[in-house]
Amino acid sequence: MEQIMTASELIAYMESLRNESQREVLMGFFKTGPGEYGEGDEFLGLKVPQTREIVKAIAKDYPVSEVASLLKSRWHEVRLCGLLILVEKFEKVATERYANNIKASFMRDSIVMIYVSHAKYVNNWDLVDLSAPKILGQWLLLPSNAGGRKAKQRMLDNFAKSSDLWKQRISMVCTLTPIRKGDPSWCLRYAEMHLSHPHDLMQKAVGWMLREMGKHVSIDLLRDFLRQHAHEMSRTTLRYAIEKMSDAERKEWMNY
């Protein structure tokens, strides 16, 4: 693949890879029919490894200024490509070496602002899950010129309180990175905020993050949370949260 620099060139290249049979499979898998959560989402029929190969080939030199056009694309895979480019660029300036570097901090903030201002285009669960932990999740743990923890919390609270399902999922799933670094506080905050969410995709996300908290931080902290909230959780959230426990303990919690 030749070096591609402009958004229009990249979109044209990805359109040339269109696969009709795979497109139909993806549109069914991601629930794009009327009334479904992915209603109206359009696919080219590219598999994720294909998109990742494109990102690998171009991300290093790809202009951040072109990414916004990718995120606004009608094509799901193009939006994913744009998000993965942002992930690659963020991770380059999020290493321990650059954690306290002022220039790197400004670059991280600029990537986050692109992500946040285009969040309405991060509009399916895979787009959220492949980007939110690696951009917003890492950002929560690093110095920022946009403000400290309170400023970050206000931004995430706005997402959590939004009527947009995908912004809500972003607020929950981005806590995966802090969890894996030993900080459960973000997970606990947004798990409580979303505990009564009616949508299956949010119930699964909450349970998934709680399960990860039990795995990476403390199983006793998870048990404490369940003692307080198991009675008000959906069965889906509870099943996901206790998935790694023993059969006997899972039965106890399901009957709690």
Side-chain angles (χ1 to χ4, degrees):
M1 183 178 70
E2 296 180 3
Q3 185 67 45
I4 298 172
M5 298 304 291
T6 70
S8 59
E9 288 172 338
L10 178 52
I11 292 169
Y13 174 74
M14 294 183 73
E15 287 176 337
S16 75
L17 303 175
R18 184 171 177 145
N19 181 321
E20 285 297 330
S21 60
Q22 180 67 13
R23 175 176 175 271
E24 293 299 321
V25 171
L26 292 173
M27 289 181 69
F29 183 73
F30 286 104
K31 308 297 184 184
T32 62
E36 295 182 309
Y37 63 72
E39 181 177 358
D41 203 354
E42 296 187 71
F43 287 78
L44 290 167
L46 278 64
K47 295 182 178 180
V48 172
Q50 287 179 279
T51 304
R52 287 194 180 278
E53 280 299 312
I54 294 169
V55 172
K56 182 179 178 181
I58 68 171
K60 181 180 177 182
D61 300 313
Y62 199 81
V64 173
S65 59
E66 291 291 312
V67 173
S69 295
L70 301 179
L71 299 181
K72 294 176 184 176
S73 172
R74 64 186 283 200
W75 302 118
H76 184 104
E77 296 93 338
V78 173
R79 299 197 303 281
L80 175 59
C81 184
L83 291 168
L84 293 179
I85 290 171
L86 289 183
V87 167
E88 288 281 325
K89 290 188 175 296
F90 192 93
E91 290 185 331
K92 287 287 192 298
V93 291
T95 61
E96 186 176 345
R97 175 185 175 187
Y98 291 109
N100 295 297
N101 181 287
I102 296 297
K103 185 177 179 181
S105 180
F106 275 110
M107 176 60 75
R108 292 194 299 264
D109 289 345
S110 68
I111 292 170
V112 167
M113 289 307 105
I114 291 171
Y115 187 83
V116 169
S117 63
H118 292 81
K120 69 179 181 179
Y121 303 108
V122 188
N123 58 351
N124 217 314
W125 60 264
D126 63 318
L127 302 180
V128 172
D129 297 0
L130 291 173
S131 63
K134 294 185 176 181
I135 297 176
L136 291 187
Q138 288 198 77
W139 182 68
L140 294 177
L141 300 173
L142 291 164
S144 167
N145 299 291
R149 183 184 176 98
K150 287 186 177 179
K152 293 175 180 179
Q153 184 175 293
R154 281 195 299 272
M155 186 273 288
L156 274 190
D157 281 359
N158 287 336
F159 271 42
K161 295 173 183 177
S162 166
S163 60
D164 185 306
L165 171 66
W166 306 116
K167 288 183 179 180
Q168 294 168 353
R169 188 171 172 100
I170 287 170
S171 73
M172 191 70 245
V173 173
C174 78
T175 70
L176 179 61
T177 301
I179 289 167
R180 289 180 173 173
K181 297 293 186 178
D183 180 356
S185 61
W186 298 97
C187 172
L188 292 169
R189 179 177 183 81
Y190 296 106
E192 287 190 342
M193 290 179 71
H194 294 306
L195 205 58
S196 300
H197 202 290
H199 201 289
D200 178 68
L201 285 175
M202 282 302 298
Q203 294 170 6
K204 290 176 179 177
V206 173
W208 171 26
M209 292 304 105
L210 290 172
R211 183 183 73 222
E212 291 297 305
M213 183 185 73
K215 176 181 177 182
H216 293 281
V217 181
S218 168
I219 189 65
D220 288 331
L221 184 61
L222 172 58
R223 290 178 178 128
D224 287 343
F225 187 90
L226 293 176
R227 288 187 192 100
Q228 294 180 59
H229 299 292
H231 65 282
E232 56 185 315
M233 287 182 180
S234 73
R235 297 294 91 180
T236 297
T237 297
L238 183 56
R239 279 196 299 271
Y240 268 64
I242 64 177
E243 188 176 34
K244 298 301 181 181
M245 294 179 177
S246 68
D247 289 346
E249 186 170 7
R250 286 203 309 273
K251 289 177 182 178
E252 287 181 15
W253 285 116
M254 291 305 294
N255 294 320
Y256 190 75

